[in-house]
Structures are given as structure tokens and as C-alpha cells.
Amino acid sequence: MKKLQLTTLFLATTLVASACGNSNGNNETAGSSASSTASAATTPASSSAAATGASGSEPFTLKVSYWADNKNGYYEEVAKRFKEKYPNGTVEFNQHPGDKYNELMNTRLAAGEADDVLFNMNMTAYAKAGYLMDLSGQPWIERMNDSAKTAAQFEGKTYGAFLEVNTFGVFYNKKIFGEQQLVPPTTWDEFIALNEKLKTQKITPIVEGFKDIWTLQAAYIPIAISTYFGSNPNFERDVYDGKASVNGPEVTGALAQFAELADKGYFNKNSLSIGNDQALQDFIDGKAAMHMMGSWTPGVIDGKTQNFPLGFFIIPAKDGNTVMSAGTDKGLSINAATKHPEEAIALVQLMLEPDMLELYGKDNALSAFNDVNPVFANPAMSEIQTALQAHPGHRNPGDYFPPSVQDALNTALTKILAGGGVGDTAAELAKLYEKDKSKVNF
Amino acid sequence: MRSSRSFYRLKVFFVLPALLLYGIFTLYPFLSSLLYSFTNWDGLQSPDYVGLANYQALFHDKAIVQAAKNTLYVLAVMVLIGNPLSLILALLLNLPLRSRGLLRTLFFLPALMSLMVISISWGFILQYDGLLNAILTLFGFENGIQDWLGTMDYALPAVILILLWQGTGFGAVIYLAGLQSVPRELQESAQIDGATGLQRIYHITIPLIMPFITINTFLGIAGSLKLFDVPFVLTNGGPGTATTTLGLLIYKYAFVHESYGYATAAGMLFMVLIAVVTFLQLSITRRREVEM
């Protein structure tokens, strides 16, 4: 079941993500300062006094699609509170597997059969196609952090919220590191050296479950985030504008560093034949010293074991310009075709109330809302937050690449892992980029 | 006159339900697909007409070449090895053995299982920590251990072996039906004339079961060309593109790359290819069929 929660990576990676901008503040899009007055004209019916909920009105049901693991009873609590407010209303939460979530949503939206409220992975693509309600001017927008605000925008209008911020890095077993007298690396060479030392000690350095395709990005992002954006925070925008190329040092560098880890045998030998659940279990069982994964990992580990000596570090860039990934995750929008727009707006507002989000995030995820500070029992979570404060952050590499490029990249990574080498991967990705450029939404 | 006309109407009336279903579920989707193949449809927004652009791009698509190679490799093995294997198995199962019934059932069993179940089960056998490597270790062949589905060289052969394991018994059952239709007196008179067993197979059995060879070859070719499920479940076309077949690639173009128009165009060409290949095969093997 954890797989569902872990598929968040999908959002971060395999999709053409959304509106422009990055958390470095190098934002060039119009509407980045989306003042609510500018969009007031297009603001949908306000959610202030939803008279529909008054007693005596027709019973109604709001359906919500989501893919995340249901932790902490968040969804039940939402349904309960909504019922208190709207005795005639029922909220129905429908969970779908994360790895097929997009296909399902795309098909349902196209067929006009999507639920009223949609957790989704490609907000801007849906907004562009006219499937989402314009939520500009909603009171909760101002509470989101900048990267979530910009990610939720398309052509200056806001189409939803993001519940989480995710980052990727290396989780390590402090006990093994202590026994081998290893410390978190400050340079790429130190990282290679510690892998080498572990390998000579017959300890598997890094365990991953690459049979689940999305996990490839968990190992790629912590490297690529620095090679893509370390020296040029606008790399993906520049590719779009023709000022940089996918077949340049940013992508080839990331591929080469990934290949170095693979070719030197630092990943578990069975990495292509196990899934993420087993990889995480092997890590918990001490069969490997490190596990490259997303920031939800401490919460997952806490659900499986007690007092695991978990630490976190990020992979240092080769040239010293280390960047940390800070992707938005768990987009929440309203279907433009909903028959109950007022009620849906009220429901989303309820879902985004600070105490509801605290419940959602508890031991689970970093919040994309400035006024929400979930409690984390696992100390590794504070290591993640410390690292986030200490390094420049950037949205995930590949957020502005077409889905075909991300898929071809994953395919290339499996080839590298199988000993097939890098070849002319970057050149092929560049060709695909040109072919499907229309699917990139800035 | 009148009666024959009303009889004609009656016939039309009886054909109508099937025709209606065919029209709704085959003809209409096919024609709309044809239209979509000339658009840049992405599955979300309304499609724009792009003329022959998709078809032109397909002819410069390197990924298709690789997938076609994989697909033809599967086809060659299934037709040139799998098919004769089925025939040999059928000949053996046709011998007057005591356990014949049981053996026939055993060999036919894999054909009754869903390919999904088969793929997942074989996945457990072939994975790095799987049964096969455990057996190899047990007998002291640690050096032979591989991640059978995770290496460029072994992944596709592994997929093909699974297909052979699954398909041979099914083909054998079809051949068995054929073998039982060969008149015994022909075999006996040949035996009296001094023909050896192999001569009898070559000169009497094979010509007489040619229709069954036609069917099995056709099923083998069509099945190999359309191969999708086993690599989809086992390897997702990987590692790299080692096990990506044409069918799997088209699926990826649509549902992963969200290039539905392009994928539809690829599907159209794919259909033409299958039609041409199977038509050629049928016309060749048909010619060799003999009349009793």
C-alpha cells in the first residue's frame, strides 16, 4: 500500500508539470505576482455563504479522486466535518492506484465522467484543456508557498492547491555509517569514496527497487537537480526558448554521474528485479547502507519499525553548486464540469484548513502551506528541513520536459543499470523534446 | 418471387444484430481511429488536423526500428522453432502410450492460464532472488547467476522461452486433431510398401495436415506480431528497450507519452503490416495443402 504514497514521484517526474517559476524566485512568467484583484473579474462564485447546505435543500454527493496513501484518517475527518456543515451532503473519496492514476484521470476527463474534486498530477495541462475550475481569489491561495503558488497557475489564473512539498536525497543507516566510520559527504568524490568503502566491506552501498519504474527518478533527481540547475536556475526555460539544449552538459552530466554509480556496482545486484516495497524493507533490515528516495520516507519507515537509526543527506554537486529539489506534490483541483460548484469550493476550503493539513502532514509530508507545520516524530525529517533551508531549492528536473522525454530517460536509466551504457541518450532525448515540445506548458 | 424476397428480408433481420455490434464496436472505432491518426490529439484537448505529419514522423522513428527488430526476432523463433516443436510434441503424444491422456492434459495446461498469471509467476522464477538462481546456487553454479530479466542479453530470450512454454502445448493440440484425421489405411499401405517412420511422416502425414500447419503458423505469426502482455508485465519493455515490442511501443506512445494521434497512426501502419504478413503466409501455405 505504501506504493501509492510513494508514487508521488510520478508527479514530480514523469509528467509535464505546471506553471512556470521556481523557488529561487527567478520567475519570468506573467502573473507571478498574481494579485487577487487582477483576477477578480474571472473569479468564480465566491464560497462565502453556501446557502445550498441549508436544511431542506436536495441531498447531494461530492466525489473526490485521490491516489495517496490514506494516513492519519485525514479523508475520514474531512468527510465527517463536511457532513456537520452540510447535513444533506455526502463526500465520497475514491482511491485509485498511483501508477495508473494519470491514464485514468485523462480518460475520465475526456469522457466527461471525472469526479467533482480531483487530486491530480498535471494541473496546468488540465487547466489548458479547460477541465478545471478557475479558483483565482480563493482565500487559501495566499497561504501557499511561492513555488506552490506558481505551480498552480496557468496564464495568470490559479487552478488549485498543492498539499505537499517533496524533496529527494539519500537516506542512510546511521548504525552502518558509524560502524564503518563514515560521515555524510560534502563533495561528489567523497560520496564515491564512501560507496567504494562500503562495497569493499561487502556491504551493499545503495538499495533501490527499480522494477517500479518511478523509483528510477528517486535515484536520478538528487543528482540531476544540481547538474540541471546548479549553474543555470533557468535551464529548462532556456531549453524551451532554444537557448539551451537537452543534449548539453546538464543532462549528459547527470547521466554520466548516474552511470558512474551503476557501473561501479553501488546499487543492489537485484535492483531491476525488486520493487520499492522490498527495497525499503531491505534497507530497514540493514542489508544496505543507503536508500535514495523522497521525503515521505521517514513517515513510511515509522509505520514499519521503531527507532530506526535514519539519517539524511543530499548528493553534493560535482562543481560545488549543490541544489536541492523542492517539488510541489498532491495537486488539488475542482472539475470545471461539477454540478455542485459552490459545495465543491466549500469542500476544498475545508480540506485546506490549517488544522486539517496538519493532520494530513503528520509524520507524512512537508507542507506547501506557510502556516502549516506538521509534527514529525522521526528526527530525519528535521534533517531534511535543515538541508532545505541551507541550500537553494528548485522544482524537479524534468518538470518542463514532455512525458515522452521523461519516459525515454527512464528507459535509458534501466539500460545503464543493465550494463548497456549511456550511448547517445541525450541526443535522442533532444530529438524527442523537439517532437513533443507542444506538450510543455510554461 | 414474393416469398424469396421476404426470405431475404428475414435473413437480413437475422444478420442485423451481429452487424450492429460489429458496426458499433469494430467499424466505427476503426474509422474514427483513422481520422484521429491525422491529428495531434493528446487525449486531453480537442485534436487539430496535421495531415500526414504523424505518418512521416513514423518513418524516421528509431524506436520503431528497435521494436520491430525485437518483434521479428520473437516471430522468427515462434514460427521456426515453436511451430516444429508443437508438431514433434503432437507426434509424440500421438504414440500409443499408456499415460497419453495425462500427458496431453499436462502439456495443454499452460495454454489455459492467463498470460498475466503466467508472467507474474515466471517473474518470481526469473528474478535475481528467484527460484532459478536458487536452484543454480544449490547445484554449485553460482557463477551462472544472472538477473535474467535485468540484463540486455537475456531479457528477450527469457520472454521468448516463456512464450514457447505456453504456446507449444496449444499448438500440439491443434496438430493432434490433424494427426487423427489422417486415414490409418494410408499409413498401413505405405508401411506394407516398405516406407520407414520418417518417410511416412514426410510423405503422408505432413501433406495431409497442411491445413493445420497453416493455422498454427498463422496463429504464431499473428500472436508474435501482437505480443504485448508478457513483456508489459515482466519487464515493461526493459531493460532499456530490450523487450519492447511494436504493440508495447504503441501503447507507450498513447498512454505514457500522451501522443494519441501519433500512436493511432502507428497502430494503423501496424495493422497494415500484420495484414500483409499474414496474407502472404496464408497464400504460401495454402498452396501446399493437398486434397484427399
Side-chain angles (χ1 to χ4, degrees), chain B residues 192-267:
Chain B
I192 291 162
D193 291 343
T196 62
L198 280 177
Q199 282 174 319
R200 286 205 307 274
I201 288 176
Y202 186 79
H203 290 286
I204 296 169
T205 312
I206 296 216
L208 284 175
I209 61 162
M210 206 62 206
F212 297 89
I213 293 177
T214 303
I215 291 170
N216 264 337
T217 313
F218 175 81
L219 290 174
I221 289 178
S224 311
L225 284 176
K226 288 189 301 192
L227 177 63
F228 168 82
D229 30 24
V230 177
F232 177 69
V233 176
L234 267 183
T235 57
N236 200 13
T241 53
T243 55
T244 302
T245 59
L246 283 169
L248 190 52
L249 186 68
I250 291 170
Y251 161 84
K252 276 196 172 186
Y253 280 161
F255 295 99
V256 183
H257 296 192
E258 294 171 12
S259 305
Y260 289 86
Y262 188 68
T264 312

Side-chain angles (χ1 to χ4, degrees), chain B residues 150-172:
Chain B
T151 42
M152 302 300 284
D153 296 339
Y154 292 109
L156 191 57
V159 166
I160 291 174
L161 276 177
I162 294 165
L163 291 170
L164 284 174
W165 171 84
Q166 201 245 352
T168 307
F170 182 76

Side-chain angles (χ1 to χ4, degrees), chain A residues 121-284:
Chain A
M121 305 182 186
N122 36 1
M123 207 178 281
T124 31
Y126 291 165
K128 190 176 169 185
Y131 288 126
L132 303 182
M133 190 192 288
D134 175 9
L135 297 174
S136 307
Q138 285 297 311
W140 40 258
I141 296 174
E142 288 310 309
R143 295 167 38 219
M144 288 197 288
N145 69 26
D146 289 348
S147 71
K149 266 184 209 163
T150 46
Q153 279 179 3
F154 178 69
E155 292 182 346
K157 293 175 187 163
T158 299
Y159 288 92
F162 287 93
L163 271 64
E164 297 179 22
V165 171
N166 274 331
T167 185
F168 293 91
V170 183
F171 291 92
Y172 69 99
N173 184 324
K174 284 183 169 169
K175 186 165 163 276
I176 296 179
F177 266 51
E179 286 163 0
Q180 300 299 326
Q181 293 161 351
L182 296 168
V183 289
T186 52
T187 66
W188 174 257
D189 291 340
E190 282 175 21
F191 182 56
I192 293 293
L194 78 87
N195 274 287
E196 194 55 46
K197 183 170 180 189
L198 286 162
K199 201 184 151 194
T200 50
Q201 294 294 321
K202 297 272 187 291
I203 299 166
T204 303
I206 309 168
V207 64
E208 297 293 322
F210 294 134
K211 191 176 192 326
D212 293 329
I213 296 292
W214 61 266
T215 62
L216 291 158
Q217 290 291 326
Y220 181 76
I221 286 176
I223 297 169
I225 192 76
S226 295
T227 63
Y228 282 25
F229 306 114
S231 45
N232 178 9
N234 295 314
F235 166 63
E236 288 182 357
R237 176 81 220 189
D238 284 354
V239 170
Y240 188 75
D241 294 337
K243 293 185 220 157
S245 168
V246 177
N247 190 11
E250 295 85 357
V251 177
T252 49
L255 287 167
Q257 284 177 255
F258 182 89
E260 188 175 354
L261 299 181
D263 295 344
K264 290 184 171 171
Y266 297 154
F267 293 114
N268 46 319
K269 282 200 177 72
N270 57 357
S271 68
L272 281 168
S273 67
I274 63 169
N276 191 65
D277 289 355
Q278 196 187 330
L280 184 69
Q281 195 54 52
D282 286 355
F283 176 65
I284 291 170

